[in-house]
Amino acid sequence: MALGSNGLVIRRVKKIKKGGHHSGAWKIALADFALAMMALFLVLWILSVASPEELASIEGYFQDPTGASTAGFSANPIDLGGSPAKSPEKKLDLQLPESGSTDVTTRDTQMGNGPDTAESNSLNNMVQEELGKMNVLLSQQQNMRIEITPLGVRITLLDDPNKPMFERGSARMMPDIENTLLTMAPIFNKITNPIVITGHTDSSRFNDAGSLDNWDLSAMRANAARHILEEGGVEDKRIAQVIGLSDTIPYNRFDTDSAENRRISITLLTDDAYKKLLDQNRRNFGNPVQQADLNITPETVF
């Protein structure tokens, strides 16, 4: 039937009922937010109780989660003390003296922990064997010391008043010590561990026209030993550090003017000690992760 002008038209509108404030979507958002906050506080707690070595291990994991990172740390999980540990050697120390702090190992404790490691003993045996083959140990027994330290095996050449290693107040080597280092160089070529060379002086002062002091002498003598070892065939990349320590670490603490305090130490580092040394140097002398928030201008400095 056709509709006229007065026809009745009925339109049916389907209304869609919306959730409005009765929807449960906000609960999901709140749960996600609570989970994110829990993860944040968990990370903050780990950072507050972890030691510097453990922090470096965590950093190494995020640099390369699938294997060993450039810093030398593995990707093993770290046990936080509440679950079965896959890596017990990296378990966090929860015996804290105060909340948010960690036990700080003293230097004396550290010196007592490392000397009996298997790697250091193996290095020591290799050095002793090679020196014995070349008959260096017997001829230089009076002024040579071979010791196991937390860093590795340290070979120390002590000065002798009757046969000095250097000219007085100079870094110029005497022929005997130069020949000794040249003879030892092939041994260091067979034992390929990284090398640290340190120079030491006694506490006596001297007057020099060039204004040299014990700091200059110890550094120049350590560097002179490096030059002789490289002349004997030791590669430059094997040298990890060359340090002058002046008279700050006397070999004879009871007589700081003693001749044996004038010495050269050559340390063959273990792998672990070398990795820690590299990591320490990166943190202390490399590009810092966070710059200090200081507004330094010429006006404030001068």
Side-chain angles (χ1 to χ4, degrees):
M1 179 180 67
L3 296 177
S5 58
N6 294 328
L8 180 63
V9 178
I10 299 174
R11 185 178 64 177
R12 297 189 181 192
V13 179
K14 185 177 180 180
K15 294 184 178 181
I16 299 175
K17 191 175 181 179
K18 297 183 179 180
H21 64 278
H22 298 288
S23 173
W26 67 273
K27 298 178 182 178
I28 299 177
L30 179 61
D32 291 341
F33 176 75
L35 181 62
M37 292 300 296
M38 182 180 68
L40 172 63
F41 286 115
L42 180 62
V43 171
L44 294 177
W45 174 75
I46 292 176
L47 294 178
S48 67
V49 301
S51 66
E53 291 78 10
E54 290 159 345
L55 291 177
S57 180
I58 295 174
E59 179 185 357
Y61 171 80
F62 283 104
Q63 289 178 359
D64 187 2
T66 61
S69 69
T70 57
F73 298 97
S74 68
N76 294 333
I78 297 177
D79 180 32
L80 300 179
S83 60
K86 286 188 177 181
S87 183
E89 68 275 5
K90 294 181 181 178
K91 184 175 180 180
L92 296 181
D93 183 10
L94 299 181
Q95 302 298 325
L96 303 178
E98 294 179 2
S99 177
S101 63
T102 57
D103 291 331
V104 178
T105 305
T106 62
R107 180 178 180 274
D108 292 338
T109 305
Q110 290 175 345
M111 291 295 287
N113 287 339
D116 295 329
T117 61
E119 187 176 0
S120 294
N121 285 323
S122 176
L123 276 176
N124 180 58
N125 294 335
M126 293 175 65
V127 171
Q128 295 278 6
E129 181 181 357
E130 294 299 329
L131 287 176
K133 289 179 181 178
M134 306 190 75
N135 202 26
V136 176
L137 185 61
L138 297 177
S139 62
Q140 301 291 336
Q141 189 174 6
Q142 296 300 320
N143 68 335
M144 179 184 292
R145 302 288 186 272
I146 301 177
E147 301 157 318
I148 299 177
T149 73
L151 296 179
V153 176
R154 181 178 65 203
I155 303 172
T156 303
L157 300 173
L158 306 173
D159 199 12
D160 186 347
N162 298 323
K163 296 179 62 177
M165 296 191 299
F166 297 90
E167 294 183 3
R168 181 67 176 171
S170 170
R172 182 176 300 172
M173 281 189 178
M174 304 300 287
D176 287 342
I177 183 63
E178 186 172 340
N179 291 334
T180 299
L181 290 175
L182 287 174
T183 306
M184 294 172 62
I187 299 175
F188 296 143
N189 287 332
K190 294 182 180 180
I191 305 172
T192 59
N193 295 61
I195 297 173
V196 170
I197 304 174
T198 57
H200 306 261
T201 65
D202 58 24
S203 60
S204 61
R205 306 299 181 200
F206 65 95
N207 296 323
D208 182 78
S211 300
L212 295 179
D213 56 16
N214 284 337
W215 286 106
D216 300 308
L217 272 183
S218 60
M220 290 191 300
R221 289 176 175 178
N223 207 34
R226 176 185 68 85
H227 282 297
I228 296 300
L229 290 179
E230 291 180 0
E231 184 179 339
V234 177
E235 296 182 2
D236 177 74
K237 63 181 181 180
R238 292 271 311 283
I239 308 298
Q241 272 187 341
V242 179
I243 311 172
L245 294 174
S246 184
D247 59 341
T248 57
I249 308 178
Y251 197 83
N252 185 344
R253 295 177 297 170
F254 303 100
D255 183 7
T256 57
D257 289 336
S258 174
E260 59 186 343
N261 290 325
R262 302 189 295 268
R263 65 194 190 277
I264 295 293
S265 293
I266 303 171
T267 303
L268 297 170
L269 299 177
T270 63
D271 291 340
D272 186 56
Y274 181 56
K275 293 174 183 177
K276 289 181 179 179
L277 177 65
L278 286 181
D279 182 62
Q280 180 181 358
N281 288 343
R282 289 191 188 102
R283 287 187 280 110
N284 291 342
F285 309 114
N287 187 25
V289 177
Q290 181 178 1
Q291 294 283 355
D293 187 14
L294 297 176
N295 184 17
I296 299 178
T297 61
E299 293 78 8
T300 59
V301 175
F302 303 103

